Amino acid sequence: MNKKQKKMLLRILISLFMTAAFKILGVKGSYGFFLYIIPYLIIGYDIVIKAIKGIFNKQMLDENFLMFVATAGAMIIGITSDGDYTEAVAVMLFYQTGELFQSYAVGKSRRNISSLMDIRPDYANIEKDGQVIHICPDDVTVGDIIIVQPGEKIPIDGIVVHGCSTLNTVALTGESIPRDVKEGSSVISGCINMSGVIKVQTTKEFGESTASKILDLVENAGSRKSKSENFVSKFAKIYTPAVCISALMLSFLPPLISYLTGNPPYLAQWIYRGLSFLVASCPCALVISIPLSFFAGIGGASREGILIKGSNYLEALSKTSCVVFDKTGTLTHGVFEVNAVHHNTISKEKLIEYVAIAECTSSHPIAQSLQKAYGLTVNRERLKEVKEISGNGVIALVDDVNVAVGNDKLMTSLGIDYKSCHKVGTVIHIAINNSYEGHIVISDVIKSTSKQAVSSLKKLGINSAILTGDISSVAESTANSLEITEYYSELLPTDKVTKTEEILSKLPKGKMLAFVGDGINDAPVLSRSDIGIAMGAMGSDAAIEAADVVLMDDNPTKIVSAVKIARKCMRIVYQNIIFAVGIKILSLIFIAFGVANMWLAVFADVGVMIIAVLNSVRALYTKNI
Ligand code: ADP
Ligand code: MG
């Protein structure tokens, strides 16, 4: 408990003790008012102040106002009737106990979430005059060398320049498989260094590093509100005036009718019912539990290495009925092996060298693999000019030679006559100075988890489809081995958008489409689909920016977990809405008919709130999902 909570507990105890004492001593009558007002103010002074402030600021219809009017009313009724004031104090006591509990539970779950997301680095080590000193990670500039000792968190993204070690990435990916790094490996912040001392040359500012970005994302996720949350705030606008008017009518209409028909009006009794009605109407449980459920859902997902950028995406994920996959790097590893090189006049080695230099600025998996096939470090100075045409390939000026590397489409657009190849695989043609010089056949390996992801999605009633820029034979064999019937090949990034729109238009109303890509050249589709999911985003900024949901590692089964977490979270939200609204309606009816009193109203309210908050916290736990 924090200081504020302790103070509240003390107020509750004092007020409770005084009220009990007055009750036992039999304090009654109008002088009792002046005694009971003491425990009343001890427990409720802040509410009275907030309510009065609210009246002056013309924002009066909130819970403080409701509590104030109802309890003040009960005190006044106390004077006119036989002088029982315990009820007003008791109502305040109940209410404050509920608030105390709720602030404790909310604080606790927030703390839970932040400790789960324990990736915020507190310091960075630098070497100065032969000694290691701690400095604030904000003070490290790009290119500085930092030292990370075993057991420490990597504070800033960078490249290992000295030493080797094993990293624990569990806080980022949810996977506990350690990752080995050595000189030249890039490392990202948030990982924990487990074995050796490494020196890292930073490549980013602290604020731009992965750990900071992720924390920003999760902390700001609440600002993108889901439909259910918007519903609550819209609902409150109509609801509060509606209950106020109903309470007024309940207080004065029946007495008026009795009076006009010549019966005794029982005004005090009806006003009391009206006041109880007001107390019971406070929608605290909903107002608190819905955002808390989403917050917990987002927190639970991030613990699994799934970043969801807002509660609206959580809601959309739960309604997904179709997942469209990009092939390369998403369903497949995106690490191509060279199967064959068919060359004309230029030697094989020379050809691969040209290709590697031409591709050295591209981040496409194909480009990376071709550079790996070259085996040597590329001398970037030999690359004079380069243009990458997404979905086609690259055109570059290497030394003074014009090099075009890409697929059939690129060759056709350049008017170069190319040969087709009998081998199955992705064929990359090469033209030097506009004459055809052969092709490299490369092939990719399907991830071992892709098939499981597709079949688990099917079990959840979700269809899978493939969109790829690769040739149809490769697309077909991938689709067949994953048992996906819907696939479209040879698509440019813009065609992918058109196809996605086509699939979108066929979806049943209220259902959502998710696109999963590796974040490279897929930004247009990511933003066009209902939910853009970027995969394998460890360290890739573009993907973190463009996508709505970011999977930190490249395991496609994480999509299944994401959907399950989203569905669980939405179930909790609906349970809370139905439960809270149901109990509310019941207690309002009971009060209107005089079956329940103010005590019960508050008791029901606080009880519902506690159960709803506890239920919300369940969204945080995603293990056996
Ligand atoms: P995918 O949908 O499978 O991710 P892309 O749209 O990224 O495919 O690329 C489609 C095709 O365009 C590739 O299969 C390849 O033939 C060609 N291509 C794209 N980028 C490059 C590149 N940098 N070098 C060579 N070929 C490329
Ligand atoms: Mg791609």
Side-chain angles (χ1 to χ4, degrees), residues 326-328 364-365 496 518 520-522:
D326 172 52
K327 181 184 72 75
T328 317
H364 198 279
K496 288 187 184 171
D518 56 359
I520 296 162
N521 78 34
D522 293 326

Side-chain angles (χ1 to χ4, degrees), residues 171-394:
L172 292 172
T173 61
E175 299 295 340
S176 49
I177 307 161
R179 191 175 142 229
D180 291 322
V181 292
K182 53 180 197 296
E183 248 165 68
S185 317
S186 60
V187 291
I188 57 174
S189 49
C191 297
I192 296 170
N193 182 10
M194 302 212 291
S195 45
V197 178
I198 49 175
K199 289 190 180 172
V200 175
Q201 178 165 36
T202 62
T203 52
K204 284 187 191 146
E205 302 264 340
F206 175 60
E208 289 298 307
S209 286
T210 310
S212 309
K213 283 216 155 154
I214 292 173
L215 286 169
D216 268 4
L217 259 180
V218 175
E219 278 159 14
N220 296 326
S223 59
R224 298 204 201 191
K225 289 237 160 39
S226 71
K227 273 205 196 109
S228 330
E229 280 173 287
N230 284 331
F231 163 75
V232 169
S233 46
K234 269 193 210 135
F235 176 73
K237 278 210 187 95
I238 319 167
Y239 180 78
T240 324
V243 290
C244 288
I245 293 170
S246 311
L248 273 178
M249 289 191 350
L250 185 63
S251 311
F252 297 109
L253 221 51
L256 185 69
I257 292 170
S258 309
Y259 179 73
L260 292 179
T261 51
N263 296 316
Y266 299 118
L267 187 61
Q269 179 204 324
W270 285 103
I271 289 181
Y272 173 81
R273 283 190 197 178
L275 292 172
S276 310
F277 191 90
L278 269 190
V279 177
S281 67
C282 171
C284 321
L286 279 187
V287 172
I288 291 154
S289 75
I290 292 181
L292 187 67
S293 313
F294 282 116
F295 188 68
I298 290 173
S302 62
R303 191 177 167 198
E304 296 285 303
I306 303 164
L307 303 183
I308 299 172
K309 285 196 189 168
S311 29
N312 51 338
Y313 301 119
L314 206 59
E315 186 161 13
L317 262 178
S318 73
K319 293 184 188 149
T320 302
S321 72
C322 179
V323 176
V324 177
F325 289 93
D326 172 52
K327 181 184 72 75
T328 317
T330 305
L331 289 170
T332 65
H333 284 289
V335 180
F336 293 82
E337 294 295 325
V338 173
N339 288 352
V341 182
H342 298 149
H343 56 110
N344 293 353
T345 51
I346 297 177
S347 77
K348 182 174 156 185
E349 288 71 29
K350 194 80 191 149
L351 198 64
I352 295 188
E353 184 177 337
Y354 275 134
V355 170
I357 297 171
E359 294 275 19
C360 74
T361 55
S362 166
S363 56
H364 198 279
I366 291 181
Q368 310 267 328
S369 309
L370 290 173
Q371 285 181 71
K372 217 179 95 203
Y374 173 52
L376 306 169
T377 16
V378 172
N379 179 0
R380 284 177 173 244
E381 279 173 9
R382 293 176 60 190
L383 181 70
K384 302 285 188 298
E385 255 174 55
V386 63
K387 192 166 97 189
E388 180 161 2
I389 307 163
S390 51
N392 284 268
V394 295

Side-chain angles (χ1 to χ4, degrees), residues 29-30 33 37 40 68-85 88 268 271-272 275:
S30 45
F33 180 87
I37 197 108
Y40 174 79
F68 171 63
V69 172
T71 50
M75 288 293 276
I76 293 165
I77 292 176
I79 308 178
T80 57
S81 57
D82 60 348
D84 187 5
Y85 307 99
I271 289 181
Y272 173 81
L275 292 172

